[in-house]
Amino acid sequence: MLTEKSKAYRHTIATLAFSSFLVFCNLYTVQPMLSLFSEKFNVSESMANWIFASGSLGISCCLIPWAIFADHFGRKIIILVSLILTTLTSLLLFFSHDLTTWIGLRLLQGLSLAGMPAVAVAYITEEFEQNAVISAVGIYIAANTLGGISGRLIGGVLSEYFSPNSAMLFCSLITLLGVITTYLYLPKESQFTPQSLAVKGVIKNLCQHIRNPQLWRTFLIGGVSFGMFINLFSVVGLHLEQAPWDFSTTQVSLLFLCYLSGTVTASMAGKLSYKWGTIKIMFLGWGIFSIGILFTLFDSLGLIIIGLLICSIGFFLVHSLASAWVGKTAIRARALASALYLSCYYLGASLGGFYLLYFYQKMSWKVVPLSAELLLLTIPSLIWRLKKAVNI
Protein backbone atom coordinates (compact mmCIF):
# COMPACT_ATOMS: atom_id res chain seq x y z
CA MET A 1 0.00 0.00 0.00
CA LEU A 2 1.07 3.59 -0.58
CA THR A 3 2.53 5.36 2.44
CA GLU A 4 2.34 9.09 3.04
CA LYS A 5 5.34 11.10 1.77
CA SER A 6 6.64 8.21 -0.35
CA LYS A 7 7.55 8.84 -3.99
CA ALA A 8 4.81 6.51 -5.21
CA TYR A 9 2.29 8.38 -3.03
CA ARG A 10 3.28 11.72 -4.55
CA HIS A 11 3.10 10.45 -8.14
CA THR A 12 -0.25 8.74 -7.63
CA ILE A 13 -1.99 11.59 -5.84
CA ALA A 14 -0.62 14.08 -8.40
CA THR A 15 -2.12 12.05 -11.25
CA LEU A 16 -5.46 11.68 -9.47
CA ALA A 17 -5.44 15.39 -8.64
CA PHE A 18 -4.83 16.33 -12.30
CA SER A 19 -7.64 14.05 -13.48
CA SER A 20 -9.93 15.55 -10.84
CA PHE A 21 -8.89 19.05 -11.91
CA LEU A 22 -9.98 18.28 -15.48
CA VAL A 23 -13.33 16.82 -14.48
CA PHE A 24 -14.34 19.89 -12.52
CA CYS A 25 -12.89 22.26 -15.07
CA ASN A 26 -15.26 20.77 -17.64
CA LEU A 27 -18.23 20.70 -15.29
CA TYR A 28 -18.09 24.30 -14.10
CA THR A 29 -16.93 26.13 -17.23
CA VAL A 30 -20.51 27.20 -18.02
CA GLN A 31 -21.44 28.52 -14.57
CA PRO A 32 -20.41 32.19 -15.14
CA MET A 33 -22.19 32.22 -18.52
CA LEU A 34 -25.81 31.97 -17.30
CA SER A 35 -26.72 35.54 -18.21
CA LEU A 36 -25.01 35.17 -21.61
CA PHE A 37 -27.02 32.02 -22.34
CA SER A 38 -30.19 33.80 -21.19
CA GLU A 39 -29.56 36.61 -23.68
CA LYS A 40 -28.26 34.41 -26.50
CA PHE A 41 -31.21 32.02 -26.46
CA ASN A 42 -33.77 34.61 -25.27
CA VAL A 43 -34.89 32.58 -22.26
CA SER A 44 -35.24 33.20 -18.53
CA GLU A 45 -32.33 32.73 -16.14
CA SER A 46 -34.06 29.66 -14.70
CA MET A 47 -34.22 28.08 -18.16
CA ALA A 48 -30.61 29.03 -18.89
CA ASN A 49 -29.67 27.42 -15.58
CA TRP A 50 -30.56 24.04 -17.11
CA ILE A 51 -27.29 24.21 -19.07
CA PHE A 52 -25.43 24.26 -15.77
CA ALA A 53 -27.83 22.02 -13.84
CA SER A 54 -27.99 19.30 -16.51
CA GLY A 55 -24.27 18.61 -16.07
CA SER A 56 -24.69 18.11 -12.32
CA LEU A 57 -27.84 16.07 -12.92
CA GLY A 58 -25.99 13.83 -15.37
CA ILE A 59 -23.26 13.18 -12.81
CA SER A 60 -25.83 12.43 -10.12
CA CYS A 61 -27.69 9.92 -12.31
CA CYS A 62 -24.64 8.02 -13.54
CA LEU A 63 -22.36 7.79 -10.51
CA ILE A 64 -23.90 4.56 -9.27
CA PRO A 65 -23.68 2.71 -12.64
CA TRP A 66 -20.03 3.81 -12.99
CA ALA A 67 -19.32 2.65 -9.44
CA ILE A 68 -20.91 -0.74 -10.09
CA PHE A 69 -18.69 -1.22 -13.15
CA ALA A 70 -15.68 0.03 -11.17
CA ASP A 71 -16.33 -2.49 -8.39
CA HIS A 72 -16.25 -5.22 -11.05
CA PHE A 73 -13.72 -4.11 -13.68
CA GLY A 74 -11.35 -2.01 -11.59
CA ARG A 75 -10.60 1.67 -10.94
CA LYS A 76 -8.04 2.81 -13.50
CA ILE A 77 -9.96 1.61 -16.56
CA ILE A 78 -13.09 3.51 -15.44
CA ILE A 79 -11.11 6.72 -14.91
CA LEU A 80 -9.64 6.41 -18.42
CA VAL A 81 -12.99 5.74 -20.10
CA SER A 82 -14.54 8.68 -18.22
CA LEU A 83 -11.84 11.09 -19.39
CA ILE A 84 -12.02 9.86 -22.99
CA LEU A 85 -15.81 10.33 -23.15
CA THR A 86 -15.47 13.77 -21.53
CA THR A 87 -12.97 14.80 -24.22
CA LEU A 88 -15.46 13.82 -26.93
CA THR A 89 -18.51 15.50 -25.36
CA SER A 90 -16.61 18.75 -24.79
CA LEU A 91 -15.61 18.69 -28.46
CA LEU A 92 -19.24 18.19 -29.50
CA LEU A 93 -20.28 21.18 -27.35
CA PHE A 94 -17.85 23.29 -29.37
CA PHE A 95 -20.08 22.69 -32.41
CA SER A 96 -23.40 23.33 -30.59
CA HIS A 97 -25.50 26.40 -31.30
CA ASP A 98 -28.99 25.95 -29.79
CA LEU A 99 -30.34 25.62 -26.26
CA THR A 100 -31.74 22.09 -26.59
CA THR A 101 -28.46 20.74 -27.94
CA TRP A 102 -26.48 22.46 -25.19
CA ILE A 103 -28.71 21.00 -22.47
CA GLY A 104 -28.67 17.53 -24.03
CA LEU A 105 -24.91 17.46 -24.51
CA ARG A 106 -24.28 18.87 -21.05
CA LEU A 107 -26.39 16.03 -19.64
CA LEU A 108 -24.30 13.59 -21.68
CA GLN A 109 -21.14 15.31 -20.49
CA GLY A 110 -22.28 14.87 -16.89
CA LEU A 111 -22.80 11.16 -17.54
CA SER A 112 -19.24 10.99 -18.88
CA LEU A 113 -17.70 13.03 -16.08
CA ALA A 114 -19.25 10.82 -13.39
CA GLY A 115 -16.77 7.99 -13.86
CA MET A 116 -13.80 9.73 -12.25
CA PRO A 117 -15.46 10.98 -9.01
CA ALA A 118 -17.30 7.65 -8.66
CA VAL A 119 -13.94 5.87 -8.42
CA ALA A 120 -11.38 8.28 -6.96
CA VAL A 121 -12.13 8.08 -3.23
CA ALA A 122 -12.54 4.30 -3.40
CA TYR A 123 -9.14 4.06 -5.14
CA ILE A 124 -7.55 6.19 -2.41
CA THR A 125 -9.10 4.28 0.51
CA GLU A 126 -7.96 0.96 -0.97
CA GLU A 127 -4.49 1.81 -2.26
CA PHE A 128 -3.29 4.23 0.44
CA GLU A 129 -2.39 3.37 4.01
CA GLN A 130 -5.05 4.33 6.55
CA ASN A 131 -2.98 7.22 7.97
CA ALA A 132 -2.64 8.68 4.49
CA VAL A 133 -6.29 8.46 3.43
CA ILE A 134 -7.72 11.70 4.86
CA SER A 135 -4.73 13.75 3.67
CA ALA A 136 -4.99 12.21 0.20
CA VAL A 137 -8.74 12.87 0.03
CA GLY A 138 -8.08 16.46 1.14
CA ILE A 139 -5.55 16.97 -1.67
CA TYR A 140 -7.95 15.36 -4.15
CA ILE A 141 -10.76 17.72 -3.10
CA ALA A 142 -8.37 20.69 -3.22
CA ALA A 143 -7.72 19.73 -6.86
CA ASN A 144 -11.50 19.70 -7.36
CA THR A 145 -11.65 23.32 -6.25
CA LEU A 146 -8.74 24.37 -8.46
CA GLY A 147 -10.41 22.68 -11.44
CA GLY A 148 -13.68 24.40 -10.66
CA ILE A 149 -12.00 27.81 -10.30
CA SER A 150 -10.02 27.36 -13.51
CA GLY A 151 -13.05 26.17 -15.46
CA ARG A 152 -15.08 29.18 -14.39
CA LEU A 153 -12.25 31.60 -15.24
CA ILE A 154 -11.80 29.93 -18.63
CA GLY A 155 -15.53 30.08 -19.25
CA GLY A 156 -15.88 33.68 -18.14
CA VAL A 157 -12.95 35.08 -20.11
CA LEU A 158 -13.31 33.05 -23.33
CA SER A 159 -17.09 33.48 -23.51
CA GLU A 160 -16.83 37.26 -23.14
CA TYR A 161 -14.03 37.77 -25.67
CA PHE A 162 -14.80 34.90 -28.06
CA SER A 163 -17.81 32.62 -27.46
CA PRO A 164 -19.08 30.02 -24.99
CA ASN A 165 -18.17 27.35 -27.56
CA SER A 166 -14.49 28.31 -27.53
CA ALA A 167 -14.27 27.45 -23.83
CA MET A 168 -15.48 23.92 -24.58
CA LEU A 169 -12.80 23.44 -27.24
CA PHE A 170 -10.13 24.43 -24.72
CA CYS A 171 -11.55 21.96 -22.17
CA SER A 172 -11.56 19.19 -24.77
CA LEU A 173 -7.89 19.69 -25.57
CA ILE A 174 -6.64 19.75 -21.98
CA THR A 175 -8.77 16.73 -21.08
CA LEU A 176 -7.07 14.80 -23.88
CA LEU A 177 -3.80 15.58 -22.11
CA GLY A 178 -5.32 14.13 -18.95
CA VAL A 179 -6.16 10.88 -20.77
CA ILE A 180 -2.51 10.48 -21.77
CA THR A 181 -1.20 11.36 -18.29
CA THR A 182 -3.56 8.95 -16.52
CA TYR A 183 -2.70 6.10 -18.89
CA LEU A 184 1.03 6.59 -18.35
CA TYR A 185 1.31 7.49 -14.66
CA LEU A 186 -1.65 6.20 -12.63
CA PRO A 187 -0.69 2.80 -11.11
CA LYS A 188 -3.09 -0.04 -11.69
CA GLU A 189 -4.87 -0.91 -8.45
CA SER A 190 -3.26 -3.66 -6.37
CA GLN A 191 -5.65 -3.93 -3.38
CA PHE A 192 -8.82 -4.17 -5.46
CA THR A 193 -11.22 -7.11 -4.99
CA PRO A 194 -13.70 -7.51 -7.88
CA GLN A 195 -17.39 -7.52 -6.97
CA SER A 196 -20.04 -9.43 -8.87
CA LEU A 197 -22.13 -7.63 -11.49
CA ALA A 198 -25.10 -9.79 -10.55
CA VAL A 199 -28.16 -7.62 -9.93
CA LYS A 200 -28.85 -9.37 -6.62
CA GLY A 201 -25.39 -8.54 -5.28
CA VAL A 202 -25.59 -4.92 -6.43
CA ILE A 203 -28.99 -4.43 -4.81
CA LYS A 204 -27.71 -6.04 -1.61
CA ASN A 205 -24.75 -3.62 -1.46
CA LEU A 206 -26.99 -0.64 -2.23
CA CYS A 207 -29.45 -1.59 0.51
CA GLN A 208 -26.65 -2.10 3.03
CA HIS A 209 -25.27 1.38 2.34
CA ILE A 210 -28.68 3.07 2.37
CA ARG A 211 -29.68 1.35 5.65
CA ASN A 212 -26.42 2.36 7.31
CA PRO A 213 -27.31 5.48 9.37
CA GLN A 214 -23.70 6.66 9.34
CA LEU A 215 -23.77 6.70 5.55
CA TRP A 216 -27.20 8.05 4.64
CA ARG A 217 -26.85 10.93 7.09
CA THR A 218 -23.50 11.77 5.50
CA PHE A 219 -25.14 11.66 2.06
CA LEU A 220 -27.68 14.27 3.20
CA ILE A 221 -24.95 16.46 4.71
CA GLY A 222 -23.15 16.51 1.35
CA GLY A 223 -26.28 17.16 -0.73
CA VAL A 224 -27.67 20.02 1.34
CA SER A 225 -24.36 21.79 1.94
CA PHE A 226 -23.19 21.61 -1.68
CA GLY A 227 -26.58 22.56 -3.08
CA MET A 228 -26.55 25.77 -1.09
CA PHE A 229 -22.86 26.53 -1.55
CA ILE A 230 -22.47 26.15 -5.30
CA ASN A 231 -25.72 27.86 -6.20
CA LEU A 232 -25.16 30.74 -3.81
CA PHE A 233 -22.21 31.64 -6.06
CA SER A 234 -24.43 31.43 -9.16
CA VAL A 235 -27.09 33.74 -7.75
CA VAL A 236 -24.49 36.14 -6.29
CA GLY A 237 -23.09 36.43 -9.81
CA LEU A 238 -26.51 37.32 -11.22
CA HIS A 239 -27.03 39.79 -8.36
CA LEU A 240 -23.73 41.57 -9.04
CA GLU A 241 -24.48 41.84 -12.77
CA GLN A 242 -27.24 44.27 -11.79
CA ALA A 243 -26.85 47.94 -10.79
CA PRO A 244 -24.98 49.42 -9.02
CA TRP A 245 -22.20 46.87 -9.69
CA ASP A 246 -22.87 45.96 -13.36
CA PHE A 247 -20.33 43.11 -13.38
CA SER A 248 -19.21 41.63 -16.70
CA THR A 249 -19.03 37.86 -17.28
CA THR A 250 -15.27 37.96 -16.68
CA GLN A 251 -15.75 39.80 -13.39
CA VAL A 252 -18.37 37.26 -12.29
CA SER A 253 -15.92 34.44 -13.06
CA LEU A 254 -13.32 36.13 -10.84
CA LEU A 255 -15.66 35.70 -7.86
CA PHE A 256 -14.83 32.02 -7.95
CA LEU A 257 -11.29 32.80 -6.86
CA CYS A 258 -12.90 32.85 -3.42
CA TYR A 259 -12.75 29.06 -3.70
CA LEU A 260 -9.02 29.33 -3.02
CA SER A 261 -9.70 29.69 0.68
CA GLY A 262 -11.54 26.38 0.47
CA THR A 263 -8.67 24.81 -1.47
CA VAL A 264 -6.31 25.55 1.40
CA THR A 265 -8.86 24.35 3.95
CA ALA A 266 -9.50 21.06 2.12
CA SER A 267 -5.80 20.23 2.12
CA MET A 268 -5.63 20.93 5.89
CA ALA A 269 -8.80 19.04 6.84
CA GLY A 270 -6.95 15.81 7.54
CA LYS A 271 -4.51 17.36 9.99
CA LEU A 272 -7.29 19.24 11.78
CA SER A 273 -9.37 16.08 12.14
CA TYR A 274 -6.41 14.13 13.54
CA LYS A 275 -5.92 16.79 16.20
CA TRP A 276 -9.50 17.69 17.11
CA GLY A 277 -11.66 14.85 15.76
CA THR A 278 -13.69 14.60 12.56
CA ILE A 279 -17.07 15.40 14.13
CA LYS A 280 -15.85 18.57 15.86
CA ILE A 281 -14.29 19.90 12.64
CA MET A 282 -17.47 19.13 10.68
CA PHE A 283 -19.45 21.16 13.23
CA LEU A 284 -16.88 23.94 12.92
CA GLY A 285 -17.16 23.87 9.13
CA TRP A 286 -20.95 24.15 9.26
CA GLY A 287 -20.72 27.10 11.66
CA ILE A 288 -18.17 28.95 9.51
CA PHE A 289 -20.26 28.32 6.38
CA SER A 290 -23.41 29.69 8.05
CA ILE A 291 -21.62 32.82 9.25
CA GLY A 292 -20.18 33.46 5.79
CA ILE A 293 -23.64 33.40 4.21
CA LEU A 294 -24.80 36.19 6.52
CA PHE A 295 -22.05 38.49 5.18
CA THR A 296 -23.65 38.33 1.71
CA LEU A 297 -26.75 40.10 3.04
CA PHE A 298 -24.88 43.42 3.06
CA ASP A 299 -24.80 45.81 0.11
CA SER A 300 -21.03 46.16 0.35
CA LEU A 301 -19.02 44.38 -2.37
CA GLY A 302 -16.14 43.93 0.06
CA LEU A 303 -18.35 42.22 2.65
CA ILE A 304 -19.94 39.99 0.00
CA ILE A 305 -16.49 38.82 -1.11
CA ILE A 306 -15.41 38.25 2.49
CA GLY A 307 -18.60 36.24 2.99
CA LEU A 308 -17.84 34.06 -0.04
CA LEU A 309 -14.31 33.45 1.24
CA ILE A 310 -15.67 32.40 4.64
CA CYS A 311 -18.32 30.18 3.02
CA SER A 312 -15.60 28.39 1.05
CA ILE A 313 -13.58 27.70 4.19
CA GLY A 314 -16.57 26.24 6.01
CA PHE A 315 -18.03 24.24 3.15
CA PHE A 316 -14.80 22.52 2.17
CA LEU A 317 -14.14 21.50 5.77
CA VAL A 318 -17.53 19.79 5.81
CA HIS A 319 -17.19 18.20 2.37
CA SER A 320 -13.63 16.94 2.78
CA LEU A 321 -14.42 15.17 6.04
CA ALA A 322 -17.84 13.89 4.94
CA SER A 323 -16.31 12.37 1.80
CA ALA A 324 -13.54 10.68 3.80
CA TRP A 325 -16.11 9.52 6.38
CA VAL A 326 -17.98 7.59 3.68
CA GLY A 327 -14.78 5.92 2.47
CA LYS A 328 -13.83 4.85 6.00
CA THR A 329 -17.32 3.76 7.06
CA ALA A 330 -18.20 1.56 4.08
CA ILE A 331 -16.94 -1.98 4.73
CA ARG A 332 -17.36 -3.26 1.15
CA ALA A 333 -18.26 -1.87 -2.31
CA ARG A 334 -16.60 1.41 -1.39
CA ALA A 335 -16.93 2.84 -4.91
CA LEU A 336 -20.68 2.31 -4.66
CA ALA A 337 -20.78 4.04 -1.26
CA SER A 338 -18.80 7.00 -2.60
CA ALA A 339 -21.10 7.12 -5.62
CA LEU A 340 -24.18 7.29 -3.42
CA TYR A 341 -22.64 10.18 -1.48
CA LEU A 342 -21.76 12.03 -4.67
CA SER A 343 -25.17 11.30 -6.22
CA CYS A 344 -26.78 13.18 -3.33
CA TYR A 345 -24.03 15.80 -3.55
CA TYR A 346 -24.65 16.58 -7.23
CA LEU A 347 -28.40 16.18 -7.00
CA GLY A 348 -28.22 18.92 -4.39
CA ALA A 349 -26.19 21.03 -6.84
CA SER A 350 -28.76 20.50 -9.59
CA LEU A 351 -31.87 21.20 -7.51
CA GLY A 352 -30.41 23.88 -5.24
CA GLY A 353 -30.07 26.35 -8.11
CA PHE A 354 -33.79 26.31 -8.89
CA TYR A 355 -34.56 26.64 -5.16
CA LEU A 356 -32.42 29.77 -4.73
CA LEU A 357 -33.37 31.22 -8.13
CA TYR A 358 -37.05 31.02 -7.15
CA PHE A 359 -36.49 33.33 -4.19
CA TYR A 360 -34.23 35.60 -6.24
CA GLN A 361 -36.73 36.04 -9.08
CA LYS A 362 -39.95 36.07 -7.04
CA MET A 363 -38.75 38.09 -4.05
CA SER A 364 -35.35 39.75 -3.72
CA TRP A 365 -31.66 39.05 -3.16
CA LYS A 366 -32.02 39.54 0.60
CA VAL A 367 -34.23 36.45 0.83
CA VAL A 368 -31.69 34.20 -0.96
CA PRO A 369 -29.08 33.93 1.85
CA LEU A 370 -31.84 33.43 4.42
CA SER A 371 -33.41 30.63 2.37
CA ALA A 372 -29.98 28.97 2.16
CA GLU A 373 -29.57 29.25 5.94
CA LEU A 374 -32.97 27.61 6.40
CA LEU A 375 -31.85 24.40 4.69
CA LEU A 376 -28.44 24.45 6.38
CA LEU A 377 -30.18 24.26 9.77
CA THR A 378 -30.78 20.55 9.05
CA ILE A 379 -27.03 19.77 9.09
CA PRO A 380 -26.16 20.08 12.83
CA SER A 381 -28.66 17.39 13.80
CA LEU A 382 -27.25 15.07 11.12
CA ILE A 383 -23.69 15.62 12.37
CA TRP A 384 -24.84 15.13 15.98
CA ARG A 385 -26.34 11.78 15.02
CA LEU A 386 -23.00 10.75 13.54
CA LYS A 387 -21.33 11.77 16.81
CA LYS A 388 -23.75 9.66 18.85
CA ALA A 389 -23.27 6.67 16.54
CA VAL A 390 -19.50 6.61 17.07
CA ASN A 391 -19.71 7.89 20.67
CA ILE A 392 -16.98 10.53 20.30
Side-chain angles (χ1 to χ4, degrees), residues 189-205:
E189 57 276 5
S190 61
Q191 306 297 317
F192 168 69
T193 302
Q195 303 287 321
S196 172
L197 277 177
V199 174
K200 185 178 179 180
V202 171
I203 292 174
K204 180 182 178 181
N205 288 333

Side-chain angles (χ1 to χ4, degrees), residues 257-280:
L257 288 172
C258 293
Y259 269 50
L260 289 172
S261 62
T263 303
V264 175
T265 302
S267 64
M268 295 172 56
K271 293 180 180 178
L272 291 173
S273 69
Y274 289 140
K275 184 173 183 179
W276 301 104
T278 299
I279 297 297
K280 289 180 181 178

Side-chain angles (χ1 to χ4, degrees), residues 69-224:
F69 287 126
D71 279 337
H72 180 74
F73 294 108
R75 315 309 191 193
K76 181 175 179 177
I77 185 63
I78 296 300
I79 294 174
L80 277 172
V81 171
S82 174
L83 292 176
I84 290 169
L85 292 176
T86 300
T87 302
L88 295 175
T89 52
S90 293
L91 184 61
L92 289 173
L93 280 164
F94 172 65
F95 295 104
S96 303
H97 296 287
D98 65 85
L99 179 63
T100 303
T101 304
W102 265 92
I103 293 175
L105 284 174
R106 280 282 295 170
L107 180 64
L108 185 60
Q109 186 181 51
L111 300 179
S112 303
L113 289 167
M116 198 311 175
V119 170
V121 174
Y123 182 101
I124 290 170
T125 54
E126 289 170 350
E127 302 300 317
F128 291 67
E129 281 194 342
Q130 188 67 29
N131 291 339
V133 167
I134 292 182
S135 295
V137 171
I139 293 170
Y140 164 76
I141 291 175
N144 295 358
T145 68
L146 290 175
I149 292 168
S150 300
R152 292 168 176 110
L153 291 174
I154 290 165
V157 174
L158 292 182
S159 64
E160 182 168 350
Y161 292 100
F162 298 97
S163 71
N165 302 68
S166 62
M168 304 319 299
L169 178 61
F170 182 88
C171 286
S172 179
L173 293 174
I174 61 171
T175 307
L176 179 59
L177 178 62
V179 172
I180 297 168
T181 303
T182 300
Y183 177 77
L184 293 176
Y185 297 108
L186 184 66
K188 184 174 175 58
E189 57 276 5
S190 61
Q191 306 297 317
F192 168 69
T193 302
Q195 303 287 321
S196 172
L197 277 177
V199 174
K200 185 178 179 180
V202 171
I203 292 174
K204 180 182 178 181
N205 288 333
L206 274 171
C207 290
Q208 283 181 343
H209 291 329
I210 292 170
R211 286 198 299 262
N212 185 333
Q214 291 236 34
L215 289 177
W216 68 254
R217 289 188 178 109
T218 313
F219 301 159
L220 289 177
I221 289 169
V224 172

Side-chain angles (χ1 to χ4, degrees), residues 8 80 114 216 277 293 297 316 333:
L80 277 172
W216 68 254
I293 288 176
L297 284 166
F316 282 105

